[in-house]
Amino acid sequence: MHLVTRANWGAKPPRFPLVQIASTRGVKVHYEGAPVPADLAKPENHSKCAGRVRAIQADHLANRKENYSDIAYSFVVCPHGHVFEGRGLHKLQAANGNHQLNVNHYSVCGMVGDSGLTQPTDAQLDGIRDAIDLLREKGGAGAEIKGHRDGFATMCPGDPLEAWVKKGAPRPVAA
Ligand SMILES: [Zn+2]
Ligand SMILES: [Zn+2]
C-alpha cells in the first residue's frame, strides 16, 4: 500500500482537536463531486495529486457553513492508487452528511469527479480497498462498505464507484 501521511502531503493542522473514536460499523465511499481533469490518471500527473489533496483540505477548512475541523474524509485515494491520510484512523470524520452518519462510518474519497475523470482506475480501486482494509485492521472499522448515497440524498460517489461498492468493493483482477 502506498500510504502518504499528512506530513508527506503537507497537511495543515486541524482547526479544532479531532474527536477520538474506538470503532465504526464500516466505511462509506465518496467521490469529489466536482470536475476532475480527464488526464489526471496519466502517470506523469501523479505529481499533482498531493496539491489536489491540499486544495480539498483548504476548501474544507474555509467552509464555515459546515464548520469542518479539517479535511472531512478519513482517507483520499488518487487515480495512481496512493492513499492520502485525511483525518485517519480512530478519528471522527465529517463527510457522510450528518452527525449520526459520521459516527456510523469512516469515509474514503476516490479522486474522481462528476465530469472529466469519472471512471476509477484499477490502481485506485486497489488503493480504496487498501484504505478500507487498513481501517478494518487498525481503526476498528466493521464489515460494512457503502456509498455516500446509501442513506443520504446525494449523487456521491457517482455510478461507477457505487456499482463497485454494491459488488462488495472487490480488488480488480489482472486480465
Ligand atoms: Zn460523498
Ligand atoms: Zn496520484
Side-chain angles (χ1 to χ4, degrees), residues 40 42-43 45-50 77-82 84 111:
L40 184 65
K42 288 185 178 174
N45 286 336
H46 178 60
S47 57
K48 297 179 179 166
C49 294
V77 180
C78 79
H80 314 92
H82 291 235
F84 293 80
M111 206 182 268

Side-chain angles (χ1 to χ4, degrees), residues 67-82:
N67 204 27
Y68 292 126
S69 304
D70 197 342
I71 189 168
Y73 305 114
S74 306
F75 291 92
V76 179
V77 180
C78 79
H80 314 92
H82 291 235

Side-chain angles (χ1 to χ4, degrees), residues 9-85:
W9 61 263
K12 294 228 161 64
R15 291 175 60 225
F16 316 111
L18 297 175
V19 176
Q20 199 75 18
I21 56 170
S23 61
T24 67
R25 293 183 193 171
V27 177
K28 281 194 170 172
V29 174
H30 297 254
Y31 74 164
E32 287 197 39
V36 172
D39 64 354
L40 184 65
K42 288 185 178 174
E44 64 268 30
N45 286 336
H46 178 60
S47 57
K48 297 179 179 166
C49 294
R52 294 184 59 83
V53 179
R54 289 193 295 272
I56 294 169
Q57 187 194 29
D59 262 9
H60 289 180
L61 288 175
N63 187 332
R64 289 301 187 266
K65 180 167 168 277
E66 296 286 349
N67 204 27
Y68 292 126
S69 304
D70 197 342
I71 189 168
Y73 305 114
S74 306
F75 291 92
V76 179
V77 180
C78 79
H80 314 92
H82 291 235
V83 178
F84 293 80
E85 182 187 24

